[in-house]
């Protein structure tokens, strides 16, 4: 059970409008860009930054999530978190990049856990 990377989240309405700025700021290009049409969102990752784009109303339910933890096993974290007083809000469920779940820790903070699975 290991956290591989912690992604800070940035919320924008138009990904194309802001992507160039964040690439310059971070000094690197986009590593991953994924449309999520069912949710009305598009995601882009630049190093430790996760940019989430969508209309304000669409973004609203996601804005309480503080960060995204990329982990080696969502299932192992699910067991650990439930045994230690956390509440699973959403998931675990399959997504385009692998498996994810949203969790409220005992202190009330909300995090997303993601396990990338390459197929």
């Amino acid at each position: 059970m290991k956290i591989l990377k912690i992604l800070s989240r940035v919320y924008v309405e138009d990904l194309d409008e802001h992507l160039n700025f964040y690439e310059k700021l971070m000094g690197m290009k986009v590593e991953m860009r994924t449309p999520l049409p069912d949710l009305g969102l598009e995601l882009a990752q630049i190093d430790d930054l996760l940019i989430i784009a969508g209309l304000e109303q669409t973004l609203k339910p996601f804005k309480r999530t503080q960060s995204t933890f990329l982990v080696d096993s969502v299932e192992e974290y699910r067991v650990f978190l439930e045994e230690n007083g956390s509440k699973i809000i959403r998931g675990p469920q399959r997504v385009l990049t692998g498996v994810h779940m949203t969790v409220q820790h005992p202190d009330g903070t909300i995090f997303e856990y993601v396990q990338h699975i390459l197929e």
Side-chain angles (χ1 to χ4, degrees):
M1 199 170 77
K2 183 176 181 180
I3 294 176
L4 306 172
K5 189 177 265 202
I6 300 173
L7 302 177
S8 297
R9 290 171 157 230
V10 173
Y11 299 95
V12 300
E13 284 205 19
D14 185 329
L15 187 58
D16 290 323
E17 182 180 334
H18 298 284
L19 204 50
N20 187 45
F21 169 79
Y22 283 106
E23 286 179 326
K24 287 180 184 176
L25 177 70
M26 301 296 288
M28 50 188 56
K29 294 288 184 187
V30 169
E31 296 171 35
M32 182 241 359
R33 186 169 178 171
T34 305
L36 301 174
D38 293 350
L39 296 174
L41 300 174
E42 186 170 11
L43 310 178
Q45 181 184 342
I46 305 171
D47 195 30
D48 294 336
L49 194 63
L50 179 62
I51 305 166
I52 303 171
L55 298 175
E56 184 61 35
Q57 192 63 18
T58 306
L59 291 171
K60 192 174 181 179
F62 298 93
K63 285 190 169 184
R64 288 194 58 218
T65 303
Q66 298 296 311
S67 298
T68 297
F69 294 158
L70 297 182
V71 299
D72 61 348
S73 173
V74 164
E75 182 57 24
E76 287 181 32
Y77 273 96
R78 183 195 61 75
V79 171
F80 169 82
L81 291 162
E82 286 183 327
E83 288 176 351
N84 287 277
S86 295
K87 177 184 173 191
I88 309 301
I89 296 172
R90 211 173 11 259
Q93 64 189 39
R94 289 284 288 175
V95 291
L96 290 174
T97 57
V99 179
H100 92 107
M101 69 179 170
T102 305
V103 179
Q104 184 174 29
H105 290 182
D107 65 2
T109 308
I110 297 174
F111 292 96
E112 177 186 36
Y113 289 76
V114 174
Q115 176 185 353
H116 285 168
I117 298 174
L118 304 173
E119 294 182 5

